[in-house]
């Protein structure tokens, strides 16, 4: 970043950090204070009586003293801002920063600050942080079916290749598949954005350490939570408003009825964003949340073009067939066993009844199809064809 002074030597940024860390003063109270006094430093120059114009006496008293541990937090944040690896930058983006996403300013509870990690080329200009017109949130089950994970990768890869920013939460399952698909598009136009529910300096879940490094190197990781914040269950639903708020639409790939993804979808709808859902098997628990959303008015989508037509209008250009999430080159006639399987998960006994083949013959053919990538094994002794099939 091209600042003349180290970022936290600037009193305004120190004031923002102190405001965000003051106990008992939430985002709503902080916004009232900023509207009343005009800047973060001015808040801490005001008297208790003046502060009481927009906050309670208890909150005013808290604001008159630096929060416990503030000096350490200031030092830690300063070191973080200046300690990024080569090719990567760290930034604190406040409500008053030109890089603050415009779309978040219009949600009911915009975060005061965003801790952001990513390549300098993204952080030294307003775009793409401030631009949601070509950003799509993708969320879904942490335990997806193989088909669901493949759908997420393909949709993300297709849309990223067309210049769309894919936003997700770096959780297990669909989130990770969406980020991976966007990264595989290898585009320099837009990043993929991971909105995490911990401090941005923490990797959660731990098995996503490599994915986090890839996103930090080629996309953006951001969080509203202070550095060092560990995984806290209540923080993950809270961050969902940022995932949907950064985007003009939210795609739910797979979700059970009791799913955090449905919270994101509901938040997106409340924010005036479009909600999309991919249908699945009526027998799959991971599809029931998507089907419920469709019943409630979410747009059913089967390919990336469905999303583009809704967000950009039917005149939007259809991408080449290789880019479409559900389009592929003409394939040879599919094996008879796949025709017998259909598209829903199916067990060995049901396959035997449909085909009249014995268990040994079925097992041999299923193994061959699995090795060739036509199908996947699911828990409970079930099989399901993949996108290849």
């Amino acid at each position: 970043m091209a600042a003349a002074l180290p970022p936290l030597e600037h009193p305004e940024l120190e004031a923002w950090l102190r405001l965000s860390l003051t106990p008992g003063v939430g985002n709503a109270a902080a916004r009232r204070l900023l509207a009343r006094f005009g800047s973060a430093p001015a808040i801490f120059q005001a008297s208790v009586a003046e502060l009481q114009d927009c906050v309670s006496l208890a909150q005013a008293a808290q604001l008159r003293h630096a929060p416990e541990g503030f000096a350490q937090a200031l030092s830690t944040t300063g070191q973080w801002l200046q300690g990024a690896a080569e090719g990567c930058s760290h930034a604190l983006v406040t409500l008053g920063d030109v890089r603050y996403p415009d779309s978040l300013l219009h949600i009911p509870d915009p975060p005061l600050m965003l801790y952001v990690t990513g390549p300098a080329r993204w952080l030294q200009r307003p775009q793409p942080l401030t631009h949601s017109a070509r950003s799509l949130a993708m969320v879904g089950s942490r335990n997806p079916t193989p088909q669901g994970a493949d759908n997420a990768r393909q949709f993300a890869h297709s849309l990223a290749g067309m210049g769309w920013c894919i936003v997700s939460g770096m959780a297990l399952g669909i989130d990770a598949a969406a980020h991976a698909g966007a990264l595989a598009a290898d585009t320099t136009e837009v990043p993929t954005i991971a909105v995490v529910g911990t401090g941005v300096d923490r990797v959660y879940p731990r098995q996503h350490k490599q994915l986090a490094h890839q996103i930090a190197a080629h996309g953006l990781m951001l969080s509203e939570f202070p550095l060092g914040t560990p995984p806290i269950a209540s923080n993950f639903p809270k961050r969902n408003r940022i995932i949907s708020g950064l985007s003009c639409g939210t795609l739910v790939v797979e979700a059970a009825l009791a799913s955090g993804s449905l919270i994101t979808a509901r938040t997106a709808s409340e924010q005036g964003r479009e909600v999309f859902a991919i249908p699945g098997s009526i027998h799959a628990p991971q599809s029931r949340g998507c089907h419920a959303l469709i019943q409630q008015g979410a747009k059913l989508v089967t390919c990336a073009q469905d999303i583009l037509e809704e967000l950009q209008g039917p005149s939007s250009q259809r991408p080449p067939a290789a880019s479409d999430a559900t389009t592929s080159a003409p394939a040879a006639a599919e094996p008879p066993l796949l025709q017998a399987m259909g598209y829903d998960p199916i067990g060995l006994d049901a396959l035997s009844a449909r085909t009249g083949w014995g268990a040994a013959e079925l097992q041999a053919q299923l193994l061959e199809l699995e090795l060739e990538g036509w199908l996947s094994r699911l828990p409970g002794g079930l099989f399901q064809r993949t996108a290849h099939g």
Side-chain angles (χ1 to χ4, degrees):
M1 297 179 63
L5 296 173
L8 283 180
E9 289 187 14
H10 195 293
E12 185 170 2
L13 201 47
E14 289 189 22
W16 279 99
L17 186 62
R18 177 174 165 181
L19 179 61
S20 72
L21 296 176
T22 299
V25 178
N27 289 346
R31 291 195 300 273
R32 292 196 302 271
L33 288 163
L34 290 165
R36 166 68 173 79
F37 296 102
S39 71
I43 295 171
F44 299 105
Q45 296 167 4
S47 66
V48 170
E50 290 172 322
L51 292 170
Q52 283 187 268
D53 287 347
C54 46
V55 296
S56 68
L57 175 60
Q59 290 172 318
Q62 289 281 16
L63 287 163
R64 294 297 295 164
H65 304 282
E68 183 179 353
F70 177 65
Q72 180 59 51
L74 194 61
S75 174
T76 298
T77 307
Q79 293 173 18
W80 174 77
L81 282 168
Q82 299 177 58
E86 184 178 354
C88 184
S89 293
H90 295 162
L92 270 178
V93 179
T94 70
L95 273 170
D97 196 307
V98 296
R99 296 166 298 177
Y100 192 90
D102 293 337
S103 57
L104 291 185
L105 293 173
H106 300 97
I107 68 173
D109 185 24
L112 282 185
M113 298 195 312
L114 296 170
Y115 297 76
V116 189
T117 296
R121 69 180 183 275
W122 299 128
L123 294 174
Q124 289 174 341
R125 58 177 183 166
Q127 302 292 352
L129 270 182
T130 62
H131 190 59
S132 67
R134 290 179 65 84
S135 295
L136 183 78
M138 289 184 61
V139 296
S141 172
R142 284 173 169 77
N143 298 289
T145 64
Q147 182 69 67
D150 197 44
N151 286 341
R153 281 189 293 269
Q154 290 191 47
F155 269 79
H157 185 273
S158 178
L159 289 163
M162 291 183 279
W164 280 73
C165 172
I166 302 301
V167 184
S168 197
M170 211 178 77
L172 293 170
I174 295 299
D175 287 20
H179 289 306
L183 289 167
D186 197 24
T187 176
T188 58
E189 294 182 46
V190 291
T192 181
I193 298 179
V195 184
V196 299
T198 63
V200 77
D201 58 332
R202 302 283 293 265
V203 175
Y204 181 82
R206 290 184 179 180
Q207 54 263 56
H208 282 172
K209 185 176 181 179
Q210 182 177 359
L211 177 62
H213 285 313
Q214 291 175 330
I215 296 173
H218 303 287
L220 291 170
M221 292 184 61
L222 62 87
S223 175
E224 68 176 317
F225 302 110
L227 299 175
T229 301
I232 299 171
S234 60
N235 284 349
F236 292 91
K238 184 179 179 182
R239 65 89 190 264
N240 290 350
R241 79 193 193 286
I242 302 177
I243 294 176
S244 58
L246 284 169
S247 311
C248 61
T250 293
L251 171 64
V252 182
V253 180
E254 279 189 342
L257 284 173
S259 167
S261 301
L262 299 193
I263 298 175
T264 309
R266 183 175 67 249
T267 302
S269 181
E270 292 169 351
Q271 293 170 344
R273 273 59 166 175
E274 298 291 342
V275 178
F276 306 93
I278 299 176
S281 167
I282 61 172
H283 304 292
Q286 295 95 328
S287 296
R288 290 172 186 164
C290 291
H291 295 163
L293 289 174
I294 292 168
Q295 289 174 326
Q296 295 162 16
K299 181 174 176 61
L300 183 156
V301 296
T302 60
C303 64
Q305 187 66 17
D306 292 340
I307 296 172
L308 298 182
E309 290 181 354
E310 184 71 19
L311 296 178
Q312 298 181 331
S315 62
S316 59
Q317 292 292 318
R318 172 171 284 277
S323 299
D324 200 305
T326 59
T327 304
S328 58
E334 65 183 22
L337 183 55
L338 279 181
Q339 297 180 22
M341 286 181 66
Y343 289 87
D344 289 344
I346 190 170
L348 200 63
D349 290 342
L351 273 176
S352 181
R354 288 184 187 180
T355 62
W357 298 337
E361 184 179 1
L362 279 174
Q363 288 280 20
Q365 290 201 41
L366 287 167
L367 177 59
E368 183 177 349
L369 291 173
E370 183 181 8
L371 292 174
E372 292 177 356
W374 287 99
L375 58 83
S376 296
R377 292 177 186 265
L378 304 180
L382 298 177
F383 301 85
Q384 186 177 30
R385 67 165 68 194
T386 64
H388 181 181

